[in-house]
Amino acid sequence: MIRLKHFLLTTLIVFIFSCKNEQDKSYAIKDFRKSLQPFLFRIVSEGIVTYHDSSDIKSITDDELVRLAKSEIPILRATALWEMLERNSFNPFDIVMKHLADTAIVATDNGEFGIKFETVSDCLIGRTRWETSQAKDKTIETVLTKHNYLSSAYNILTSIEAQEKYYTYIKDMATRPRRLDQYEGYELSFYEIEYALYGLAKFHKKEDIQLIKDKLMKQVWELSDVSFRLMKEFPDTAYLDVLQLYHRRQFYKFSGNRPHGFTGYNADRAAPEDFIEALVVQQNDRSAKLLDTMLTNLPKYTCLPDKENLINAVIEQIWENPCPAYARLREKVKHKAEEIFKGRITFDRIDNPVDTTKRTYSWYN
C-alpha cells in the first residue's frame, strides 16, 4: 500500500510538471526551420555566447527569436536575448523582466577580459540599455526583492542610494551562506559579498558595523577595492582592526598584475593605494602610527615593485589629509611632499560639448 502511494505521488508530480502551457514550452533545435538549424548547431558547438553580425542571425525573424529565447539549450536562449536587445522591435525592459529567472550558467565572451561564466539573467542584465530611468529602477526593485541571488543584485549596490525598503534584502545578502541552492555547485565569491557589505554600510546603522567588521576580518586575505572603498567612504574606528590586520598579513604581498597601470600587484584584489586611502581617513593616533610604520618599512624592501611610488602615495595622502593626529608626520614628510607636488603638471579644464543624443541607462551607470 505504501509503495502504491509513492507510485501515485510520483506519477502525479510527473504529470503536473509535464502539463506546461504554451507560454512555458521549450524548443529544441529540430523545432526550427531546417535552413536555420546548422547555424544553431554551430552556436552550440562553439560553446560561448557572443555577438553575431552575420546574415545568419539577421535572417532570424522576431517570432523565431521569441521561441529561441525559450530554447531548451541555455546558450541559444542567451544568444537570442542578445540579438533581441539589438533590435528596435523589442522593448529592453520587457525582455529583461520576462527572463530574470533564467539561472542557467553560460560562458560569455567579454572581449579583452576573456571568458566569463554567468547566469543567462546576469549576462542579459549586464548588456541591457533601458530607455528610461524609471524602467531601470523598476528592474532594480524586482532584482533586489525577487532575484537577489543574481550577481547583478550584488554589483548594483555600489551604484544606488540607500533606500529603507531594500535594507532587509541587502542585510540578508550580506549575511546568508555563500553557497546558494539556486546554483548547484556554484558559489558567490567574497567579492560579491563585499558589494552587499558596501550596500549595508550606506545605511549608517551602528548595529551593522560589527557585522561588517567581522566579515572583513574573516576574509582579510581577499579584500578588494570595494572593501577599502567602504572603509574610506563610511569610516569607523572599528575598521582600524581590519586595516591593521591587512597591513600585517597582506599589504606587502605583491603578485600578478597591479591595477591602475602598474605591475607587481594582484589585479583581482585591491591596489596599495586603496588601502592607504582607507587608512588615512581615520585621522587618529592609531592610523598615524600605522602610516609612520609604513614610511619606515617600505624603504627596507629591496625587491618591492614600484617601491618609490608606494612611498610617495603614503606621503601624498598624509599631506592631503591634514589633522592634529598627522601634525608630526606632516613635518616629517614636508620636504618630500612639497617636492612631489611641485613637480605635478596641472591641466586647464576643457568643457566638452553637450551631448544631445538620446540617453539610455545601463546597469552600471
Side-chain angles (χ1 to χ4, degrees), residues 6-152:
H6 280 296
F7 173 79
L8 292 174
L9 179 59
T10 303
T11 303
L12 178 61
I13 292 172
V14 171
F15 176 79
I16 291 172
F17 282 96
S18 298
C19 294
K20 296 182 179 180
N21 58 34
E22 186 65 24
Q23 184 70 21
D24 297 325
K25 181 180 179 181
S26 62
Y27 295 87
I29 291 179
K30 66 180 177 61
D31 296 323
F32 294 89
R33 55 185 161 88
K34 289 186 178 180
S35 59
L36 181 59
Q37 291 178 20
F39 177 59
L40 301 183
F41 276 115
R42 189 163 75 248
I43 292 174
V44 175
S45 65
E46 289 173 354
I48 299 173
V49 183
T50 188
Y51 283 112
H52 295 273
D53 194 24
S54 64
S55 58
D56 291 311
I57 198 158
K58 299 307 176 186
S59 71
I60 303 177
T61 67
D62 286 358
D63 287 341
E64 287 174 325
L65 278 179
V66 171
R67 288 192 289 127
L68 195 60
K70 298 178 183 179
S71 168
E72 62 187 16
I73 304 174
I75 191 172
L76 292 181
R77 297 201 299 272
T79 300
L81 293 171
W82 279 21
E83 178 60 22
M84 291 164 77
L85 291 175
E86 294 293 304
R87 300 189 182 185
N88 293 330
S89 49
F90 291 97
N91 183 296
F93 174 75
D94 293 337
I95 297 171
V96 173
M97 296 299 280
K98 290 177 181 177
H99 297 274
L100 283 176
D102 195 337
T103 58
I105 304 295
V106 291
T108 60
D109 181 358
N110 280 255
E112 62 183 299
F113 300 103
I115 303 301
K116 181 179 181 180
F117 291 93
E118 54 187 333
T119 67
V120 173
S121 298
D122 280 320
C123 80
L124 171 61
I125 291 170
R127 290 155 184 83
T128 297
R129 297 293 181 270
W130 287 263
E131 296 176 354
T132 66
S133 60
Q134 292 81 3
K136 178 185 172 183
D137 289 343
K138 180 61 178 177
T139 308
I140 292 172
E141 180 177 358
T142 304
V143 168
L144 288 179
T145 58
K146 298 180 180 178
H147 303 278
N148 57 36
Y149 48 82
L150 295 173
S151 294
S152 298

Side-chain angles (χ1 to χ4, degrees), residues 160-224:
I160 63 173
E161 298 296 324
Q163 299 179 59
E164 195 63 32
K165 64 180 179 178
Y166 296 142
Y167 175 74
T168 56
Y169 296 102
I170 294 172
K171 188 161 187 176
D172 178 59
M173 292 164 67
T175 56
R176 67 191 177 199
R178 289 171 64 193
R179 182 156 180 155
L180 305 178
D181 293 337
Q182 288 88 347
Y183 301 90
E184 186 176 351
Y186 177 74
E187 293 187 7
L188 284 173
S189 67
F190 181 68
Y191 187 62
E192 289 177 313
I193 299 298
E194 286 176 293
Y195 279 108
L197 295 174
Y198 181 91
L200 196 60
K202 284 185 177 183
F203 289 92
H204 299 281
K205 297 195 176 188
K206 279 290 182 182
E207 62 266 29
D208 291 331
I209 291 176
Q210 187 62 44
L211 182 157
I212 295 170
K213 173 190 171 181
D214 290 345
K215 290 280 187 181
L216 298 181
M217 290 285 282
K218 186 177 179 180
Q219 305 293 144
V220 72
W221 56 275
E222 59 174 333
L223 298 186
S224 76

Side-chain angles (χ1 to χ4, degrees), residues 265-283:
Y265 205 76
N266 187 342
D268 294 330
R269 299 294 85 199
E273 291 84 356
D274 297 322
F275 168 80
I276 296 166
E277 291 173 10
L279 173 62
V280 79
V281 298
Q282 290 283 332
Q283 297 190 347

Side-chain angles (χ1 to χ4, degrees), residues 229-241:
R229 181 180 167 188
L230 183 163
M231 291 184 278
K232 176 184 175 182
E233 295 179 9
F234 313 109
D236 190 278
T237 54
Y239 300 141
L240 263 170
D241 291 337

